[in-house]
Amino acid sequence: MQPIINDNLPRNYQKCWLPSSTDIPWLIRYLDNVYLPEGEDIIKSTLINEITALNHNIKNSKSLQEASLSFVLDENNMVSEQYSIDYQNDTIRIVSGGWQGFLYAWFDLLRKASSVLNSPWQSTQKPAFPVRMINHWDNLDGTVERGYAGNSLFFHNNQIHYDEIRLHHYARLLASVGINAIAINNVNVHHHETALIDDSLLPSVAQIAAIFRQYAIRLFLSVNFAAPIETGELSVADPLDPQVIDWWQTRAEKIYQQIADFGGYIVKADSEHRPGPFTYQRTHADGANMLARTLAPYDGLLYWRCFVYNCQQQWYDRTTDRAKAAWDNFAPLDGQFLDNVILQIKNGPMDFQVREPVSPLLGSMPNTNKVMELQITQEYTGQQIDLCWLVPQWKTILNFDTRPGERDATILDILAGHSQHHMQHSGITAVVNTGDSVFWTGHPLAQANLYGYGRLLWDPLIDEKSLAEEWCKLSLSTAPKAVETISQMLLSSWLTYENYTSPLGVGWMVQPHHHYGPSIDGYEYDSWGTYHYADRYGLGVDRTSDSGTGYVKQYHPLNCQMYNNPGRCPQELLLFFHHLQYRHVLPSGKTLIQHIYDSHFSGVNQVELYIQQWKTLEGDITEDIYSEVLQRLVKQLANAQAWRDQINTYFYRKSGIKDSRNRNIYP
């Protein structure tokens, strides 16, 4: 195993939130006499490596009583990822049901022992969600789809190519926040990526899997449903065709010969021109179950994405509603999927917008395994140019009550396995925001999204402000002014971004294809089903049960009634569910058009304040990070101003209604 030395990180990338030995002097003295259980385990080797990196004089104690730091297995009372940390009589004792728990406890110990946190030591913890996954959208040519942090960590020039030391550091970063699964390639599997499950590339994939295995992270691959055709070996990909089934069985055998603990597949099928079972008049259950059967003998899992909709919609057809598609495609199939199939459902019914309702599919299908898919990388929320901390958004989603008045009905309850839903596998996955950037995430403050994602999956009840401060202290500065300033910037940034972009849940007013910056009508007359329907009277999409598309009926009756009534619908989602006149009066007392004007001016003002606040931190933040963040804030201001001016002018021209405060809106 390659040693990981905390203090000797290569100079071309940052340590992020992981402490070095100088941050944890209190802990160091406990690392000279360590007790570890007997037996061999890959994670045991990792722990020895971790401890040795901090204290080269480690003594492997044979006596539990004599050890200053002890790891104790308790498989009878604890599950493998659960652990407790206790500090008594000047000794640290870690108890867990398995080596994974020891690993997570170690990183928790580093976090708590850090001189910058001074957190209480004693605790008993286990993760809230069984599945804690990240999805890379990396292509074999080295590019990253919707990636804003440089090129791939795994691939280059249509070859598997990586820096082994950096990949160890990356696995360590992920493990430190509790990630236990990773898919390393894009769900849009092109020709070259199809070969990742071929004999030519599998040995190199196995080497990557071996690195992540050391940190209790199971490796997955996205696969092309039409791989038998793409490779030229078959002329069909029909999931019920015996030769297709045999092809996938043979492929699974070869994979598991190379990677015994291979996690399984991620599949995007019958969506956005990707092949799938519909070609052969088969169902999603037919397609998913065929692949799942080939993985089942090896305890492999099949993640089947529910991002399926008609992307050839006629813009003038108001009866077809993209928001309804996931539920319509999958809800009737509840109970038809095998036990090792997991449906991967986006958090909203559309596509990672800055604000949209929670997908009704997450509260449906009680007899089917489900994970929720989030997007850490900021495709529609600033692309790691604009600051947008997404933890408040994610907590809002987790707290959504799918069956108001009923027990254990929030999204958190469902995905954590506490609800009436009968699932063997559940949790959360997310499109990750890392690349070969010096800062891992491009924007240094975007590291807070990755850190926050992992910590939230472990403890979804964690306070947002505490989490922001924790990340800041570990990553940037312990100076009180810096901690307070940066935390407030993070905590307000989602609302700020929402204010200067799309009003009241309408979404999609972005530049087509790359999705950064405003283009109000960019998607208005296209085939993607992403409309705002603005006219001279008002704007918004009517999704009500009486006059609209009927999308509201996919929710529990009480939620349906709430969303169906513009007087009860949450203001931030009003235009997602209703087409309203510009003079419609909101609960705030403002008219709809005045809210649009005010929010867009407010958003720009907030970004201007961010720049002022950040400039006060010069000297408290390392120069490279200070300079990089300042440059991005300046770009964010230009973007916010473009949004404000274009949105306000557009709706002034549509409505003919002036701003009541007579601010500058271009005629």
Side-chain angles (χ1 to χ4, degrees), residues 273-321:
H273 311 294
R274 301 306 302 161
F278 286 2
T279 302
Y280 305 95
Q281 291 77 54
R282 312 302 186 192
T283 69
H284 288 289
D286 292 331
N289 289 343
M290 180 274 291
L291 290 172
R293 287 190 187 95
T294 70
L295 299 170
Y298 314 97
D299 295 323
L301 302 173
L302 190 284
Y303 287 82
W304 191 271
R305 295 180 87 235
C306 297
F307 187 52
V308 177
Y309 65 97
N310 177 13
C311 62
Q312 295 296 310
Q313 184 176 326
Q314 300 294 339
W315 59 266
Y316 47 80
D317 174 15
R318 297 205 179 195
T319 64
T320 303
D321 185 359

Side-chain angles (χ1 to χ4, degrees), residues 524-540:
E524 190 62 16
Y525 302 98
D526 70 357
S527 60
W528 295 93
T530 53
Y531 313 124
H532 55 72
Y533 292 137
D535 54 31
R536 59 179 174 168
Y537 305 109
L539 79 154

Side-chain angles (χ1 to χ4, degrees), residues 35 97 131 134 149 153 159 207 247 279 324 342 345 380 383 402 468 489 515 538 566 578 581 596 636-637 653:
Y35 174 84
V131 175
I134 59 170
L153 292 166
Q159 296 292 326
Q207 291 172 357
W247 189 94
T279 302
K324 298 169 63 177
I342 305 166
I345 305 166
Y380 296 99
Q383 300 191 358
T402 65
M489 289 173 65
H515 301 159
H578 299 274
Q581 294 185 1
I596 292 173
Q636 180 174 358
L637 179 59
R653 291 177 177 177

Side-chain angles (χ1 to χ4, degrees), residues 648-663:
N648 286 347
T649 294
Y650 180 93
F651 287 108
Y652 173 58
R653 291 177 177 177
K654 282 282 187 182
S655 68
I657 302 171
K658 293 183 177 180
D659 171 33
S660 66
R661 298 172 63 181
N662 293 316
R663 291 164 293 192

